[in-house]
């Protein structure tokens, strides 16, 4: 090969290597940018806790570049994910069962009330826990029995695995097997609210933070569904919002996020979001 050809060949190889080097550098920078140069915390679980967790994560992002991924798939699924290491943190809107407590640590990040809701035109505004049980188990099937109009009661409940459903059934004192057979099963608080808001026969239960003018709320044993009444233990339909994690699996970033949530600033955000702060 002549000297000229060798020079041209060398220049060509050099050019190719320079292009490859530039592409590699660009790809690396793009990956770092997409990661935000921070750690990632995987959180999954309750659809009741989820909206609050998202609001807290959004505020936390203003002071820390940690990526927080929140997947709302139900309390039981979140607890299972935390137990199996699929998620660093699980979200639950019910107390842990005895067998779960042995595997996970829990942190109460806020409290929540569960409110029984009906269509805005429903005349019934107050029920006892026993009457609520009679409705959801099908013992009473007409609103006139409680002073309402002569019309059928349509029960709307949550899906199996829902922390809200587990908590509601435990407090009202009936099992899944006792739920009225023709109950409408809705996935998530939002779906229950929409179903009840569009059916004058319907009754369901949702978290405090989902209450708006599209539905009417029911007092329980003469006590209104308010945060103060929950904290004073007057209103009986309430439960904790939990973050759960396995020993040795909570990262430093995860601990910092939890510390932020239970701080004064974090609890103020929880209150603004409609949850009941722990202090």
């Amino acid at each position: 090969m002549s000297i000229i050809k060798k020079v041209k060949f060398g220049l060509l190889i050099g050019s190719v290597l320079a292009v490859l080097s530039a592409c590699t550098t660009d790809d690396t920078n793009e990956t770092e940018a997409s990661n935000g140069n921070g750690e990632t915390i995987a959180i999954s679980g309750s659809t009741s806790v989820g909206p609050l967790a998202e609001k807290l994560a959004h505020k936390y992002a203003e002071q820390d570049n940690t990526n927080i991924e929140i997947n709302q798939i139900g309390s039981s699924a979140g607890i299972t994910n935390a137990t199996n290491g699929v998620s660093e943190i699980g979200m639950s809107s019910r107390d842990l069962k005895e067998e779960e407590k042995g595997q996970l640590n829990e942190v109460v990040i806020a409290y929540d009330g569960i409110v029984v809701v009906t269509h805005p035109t429903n005349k019934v505004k107050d029920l006892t826990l026993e009457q609520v049980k009679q409705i959801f188990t099908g013992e009473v099937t007409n609103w006139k029995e409680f002073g309402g109009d002569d019309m059928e009661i349509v029960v709307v409940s949550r899906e199996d695995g829902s922390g809200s459903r587990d908590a509601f059934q435990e407090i009202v004192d009936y099992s899944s097997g006792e739920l009225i057979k023709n109950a409408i099963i809705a996935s998530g608080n939002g779906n229950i609210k929409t179903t009840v808001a569009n059916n004058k026969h319907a009754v369901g239960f949702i978290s405090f933070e989902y209450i708006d003018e599209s539905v009417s709320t029911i007092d329980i044993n003469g006590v209104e569904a308010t945060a103060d009444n929950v904290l004073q233990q007057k209103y009986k339909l309430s439960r904790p919002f939990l973050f759960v994690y396995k020993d040795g699996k909570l990262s430093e970033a995860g601990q910092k996020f939890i510390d932020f949530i239970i701080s004064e600033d974090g609890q103020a955000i929880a209150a603004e979001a409609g949850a009941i702060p722990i202090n």
Side-chain angles (χ1 to χ4, degrees):
M1 183 182 292
S2 70
I3 294 176
I4 293 176
K5 287 183 178 180
K6 284 182 180 180
V7 171
K8 288 183 176 178
F9 183 76
L11 289 173
L12 175 63
I13 294 297
S15 298
V16 171
L17 290 175
V19 170
L20 289 175
S21 177
C23 290
T24 303
T25 302
D26 288 346
D27 288 344
T28 302
N29 290 339
E30 189 172 316
T31 301
E32 288 178 354
S34 66
N35 287 337
N37 294 321
E39 297 184 61
T40 296
I41 306 170
I43 301 175
S44 65
S46 169
T47 60
S48 297
V49 183
L52 172 60
E54 287 180 347
K55 289 182 176 70
L56 289 162
H58 179 73
K59 288 292 185 181
Y60 187 66
E62 295 176 0
Q63 68 182 50
D64 192 284
N65 66 348
T66 300
N67 302 307
I68 302 175
E69 299 175 352
I70 297 173
N71 189 11
Q72 300 182 46
I73 54 175
S75 293
S76 294
I79 290 168
T80 298
N81 280 353
T83 302
N84 295 336
V86 176
S87 299
E88 181 176 336
I89 297 172
M91 303 180 291
S92 178
S93 56
R94 63 166 173 81
D95 287 313
L96 294 180
K97 299 172 183 177
E98 286 305 315
E99 61 271 21
E100 295 167 342
K101 289 180 179 179
Q103 303 182 67
L104 296 168
N105 298 305
E106 61 180 71
V107 177
V108 178
I109 65 166
Y111 290 97
D112 179 48
I114 304 173
V115 61
V116 177
V117 292
T118 61
H119 190 272
T121 60
N122 198 314
K123 296 176 182 177
V124 178
K125 304 299 180 186
D126 191 358
L127 293 168
T128 66
L129 277 180
E130 179 59 30
Q131 289 172 329
V132 174
K133 179 179 179 179
Q134 290 172 341
I135 289 172
F136 279 81
T137 59
E139 184 179 338
V140 176
T141 58
N142 195 299
W143 284 112
K144 69 179 180 180
E145 299 297 322
F146 303 119
D149 292 334
D150 183 5
M151 61 181 182
E152 178 189 5
I153 298 173
V154 174
V155 171
V156 187
S157 184
R158 288 289 301 277
E159 75 284 2
D160 280 328
S162 158
S164 296
R165 174 170 168 170
D166 289 344
F168 183 79
Q169 290 183 175
E170 182 177 346
I171 297 167
V172 178
D173 191 27
Y174 69 94
S175 66
S176 289
E178 295 175 291
L179 177 66
I180 187 170
K181 301 306 179 187
N182 64 351
I184 296 172
I185 304 300
S187 177
N189 286 277
N191 285 334
I192 282 192
K193 184 176 72 173
T194 299
T195 302
V196 172
N198 289 287
N199 187 334
K200 67 179 183 179
H201 297 263
V203 60
F205 54 89
I206 58 177
S207 293
F208 274 22
E209 61 187 306
Y210 284 84
I211 298 172
D212 60 29
E213 294 180 353
S214 69
V215 291
S216 178
T217 61
I218 298 290
D219 294 347
I220 300 297
N221 298 336
V223 179
E224 187 180 358
T226 66
D228 284 343
N229 284 335
V230 169
L231 291 174
Q232 294 176 33
Q233 299 184 345
K234 294 178 181 179
Y235 185 78
K236 302 304 180 183
L237 282 174
S238 61
R239 46 39 186 306
F241 276 176
L242 302 176
F243 268 14
V244 299
Y245 59 91
K246 201 165 185 177
D247 266 337
K249 297 299 182 180
L250 185 66
S251 65
E252 183 179 347
Q255 183 63 65
K256 285 174 64 179
F257 183 46
I258 290 176
D259 290 343
F260 166 76
I261 292 174
I262 63 178
S263 71
E264 185 175 340
D265 288 344
Q267 289 299 292
I269 296 166
E272 289 174 5
I276 301 167
I278 59 177
N279 48 36

